[in-house]
Amino acid sequence: MTSQAVRLFRKMDGLFAVYKPQGVHWKHVRDSTESNLLKALNSCPPPAPQLAVQFQLLSGGENSSSTDVVLSPSMVPTLADHPLVTGPQFHKVHVGVGHRLDAFSSGVLVLGVGKGNGVLEHLCNSHVTRDYTLEGEFGKATDNFTHTGRVIEKTTYDHVTLDKLERVLAMIQGANQKALIMYSQVDLHTQEAYELAVRGLLYPHGKSPPILTGLRCIHFNPPHFTLEVQCVNETQKYLRKLIHEVGLELRTSAVCSGVRRTRDGPFKVENALTRQHWTASSIIQAIAHFSKVTRKIRKSGMYKQTAGQLNSSAQVQEQTRSQTEQINQEHVELSSSTSDTVVDRETPVTLSEGRTKH
């Protein structure tokens, strides 16, 4: 019969999302989650100790003259498996981290426990888009593109309007759309490319630079403004630099005052666990909530891996076939050239014999 701790551990298998606060490193989030899960496992009551038969010697009393030995059997608990003897049952719970966030950023951070660590690899290798909310401030530039960096320039921003900002954002998004089409490796003159573009399913194949799939302004109150971004293969440093480049296009300067991830693929900020809910019970509920999503990611990852293996094997077979055909062609050419040489050598002999007979 399994113990309560083992049953609890079996439920810790899957993916879940937490909300990482700004100013907290992702390693601290991971370590805190591991510590809470480990504490919950080891705080479970231990199983009932096993009983062993022990024979005790009974004395006959001081006035007894009998020499018979009297033994009495009794059931006593064995302490060999007691936690005070063996120590805690669990010593390590591995929690994996998906697409990471730096200390300056906040938002959705996907974590995995148990077999969910393998699913995290499929999630990181997939081309899911992520949503961010970027907060910017016009009027100054810093050495690290954030409002907390060392100020290296101050500029005016009275000429900046919402219409000008939206035109700059449209220009940036158009350039990124061209990059997306280029790295998607799809022929634009085919029906497949048209259908993928209409459904918004174009994504870069292999390694590519950060690409913005969506960009718009959702708040404008100079000097402060807020952008909503959808992107792939991004880094938080790239997003902060994006605010700086927007300021340069508007002939001013701008710094980033906040980066907040609101969605990471199917994981949204509404379902992310805040710090007070980084407990075993809340994490198990979140894992159960995302169980269907986890199975889909696992199946899609296995399908892509199998398809890649099939494609590689097909390429090897095609390469082997072409090499075989090339060798056969060379053999045929060599055979034909050899036969021609033999004929050339035999022809003069035949002619000389003819002259001799005449």
Side-chain angles (χ1 to χ4, degrees):
M1 184 177 179
T2 58
S3 62
Q4 182 179 352
V6 174
R7 292 194 298 269
L8 183 64
F9 178 75
R10 290 176 179 175
K11 296 179 180 179
M12 300 177 183
D13 187 6
L15 300 180
F16 63 99
V18 299
Y19 188 89
K20 189 193 83 66
Q22 186 178 8
V24 179
H25 200 276
W26 63 267
K27 291 184 179 180
H28 176 72
V29 178
R30 179 199 61 189
D31 295 342
S32 299
T33 306
E34 288 182 351
S35 177
N36 293 339
L37 294 178
L38 194 61
K39 187 183 299 182
L41 289 173
N42 290 324
S43 63
C44 293
Q50 297 181 357
L51 299 179
V53 179
Q54 184 176 359
F55 293 91
Q56 297 180 354
L57 179 63
L58 297 181
S59 59
E62 297 179 355
N63 299 326
S64 176
S65 58
S66 175
T67 59
D68 296 336
V69 177
V70 180
L71 297 177
S72 174
S74 62
M75 303 294 291
V76 295
T78 58
L79 302 178
D81 298 331
H82 196 275
L84 296 178
V85 178
T86 61
Q89 185 175 0
F90 294 89
H91 300 275
K92 178 68 175 178
V93 177
H94 179 65
V95 176
V97 183
H99 300 105
R100 298 170 182 174
L101 289 170
D102 55 21
F104 181 80
S105 307
S106 63
V108 179
L109 183 66
V110 182
L111 304 178
V113 186
K115 296 180 180 178
N117 291 291
V119 184
L120 271 180
E121 184 177 355
H122 296 320
L123 179 64
C124 294
N125 293 333
S126 62
H127 296 85
V128 295
T129 58
R130 288 171 286 278
D131 295 354
Y132 289 87
T133 300
L134 308 180
E135 296 180 0
E137 181 181 353
F138 292 119
K140 62 180 179 180
T142 59
D143 57 348
N144 61 356
F145 311 122
T146 67
H147 67 292
T148 59
R150 181 174 60 88
V151 178
I152 58 177
E153 183 184 15
K154 287 189 176 182
T155 57
T156 59
Y157 54 87
D158 298 338
H159 61 283
V160 179
T161 61
L162 179 59
D163 184 56
K164 292 181 179 179
L165 176 60
E166 289 179 345
R167 284 202 299 267
V168 169
L169 298 181
M171 179 189 65
I172 296 175
Q173 186 174 357
N176 280 267
Q177 288 293 336
K178 292 181 181 179
L180 177 62
I181 294 173
M182 181 180 64
Y183 285 100
S184 62
Q185 299 178 2
V186 177
D187 187 6
L188 297 180
H189 301 287
T190 60
Q191 181 67 22
E192 179 186 4
Y194 173 76
E195 293 177 355
L196 291 175
V198 170
R199 296 164 59 187
L201 297 179
L202 285 177
Y203 57 87
H205 288 271
K207 294 183 179 180
S208 70
I211 297 178
L212 305 179
T213 59
L215 179 63
R216 69 187 184 100
C217 179
I218 59 176
H219 177 72
F220 183 76
N221 185 20
H224 304 284
F225 63 98
T226 305
L227 303 181
E228 187 179 64
V229 181
Q230 292 85 36
C231 48
V232 293
N233 299 336
E234 83 293 341
T235 61
Q236 287 78 54
K237 184 178 180 180
Y238 166 79
L239 296 175
R240 291 192 289 269
K241 188 178 180 180
L242 174 65
I243 297 293
H244 173 73
E245 292 178 351
V246 169
L248 294 180
E249 292 292 337
L250 291 170
R251 299 187 182 279
T252 182
S253 57
V255 294
C256 182
S257 57
V259 177
R260 181 172 177 260
R261 182 191 288 168
T262 57
R263 183 180 64 86
D264 186 356
F267 300 90
K268 299 181 179 180
V269 68
E270 294 83 5
N271 306 117
L273 302 176
T274 54
R275 178 178 290 185
Q276 59 268 26
H277 293 99
W278 296 351
T279 59
S281 58
S282 298
I283 290 175
I284 290 175
Q285 292 178 3
I287 291 175
H289 177 75
F290 288 110
S291 58
K292 293 183 179 179
V293 174
T294 304
R295 286 195 295 268
K296 289 181 179 180
I297 296 174
R298 182 185 289 112
K299 289 181 180 179
S300 63
M302 293 175 64
Y303 170 77
K304 290 181 180 179
Q305 185 177 4
T306 305
Q309 293 176 354
L310 292 176
N311 291 334
S312 62
S313 62
Q315 292 176 359
V316 171
Q317 292 177 0
E318 183 66 24
Q319 185 177 3
T320 305
R321 189 182 301 110
S322 62
Q323 291 177 354
T324 304
E325 292 177 355
Q326 184 178 1
I327 293 173
N328 293 335
Q329 184 67 24
E330 293 177 354
H331 179 70
V332 171
E333 293 176 355
L334 181 61
S335 300
S336 60
S337 62
T338 305
S339 61
D340 294 340
T341 304
V342 172
V343 171
D344 292 340
R345 289 179 178 176
E346 292 178 352
T347 301
V349 176
T350 307
L351 292 174
S352 64
E353 290 178 355
R355 291 194 186 95
T356 306
K357 291 179 182 181
H358 287 295

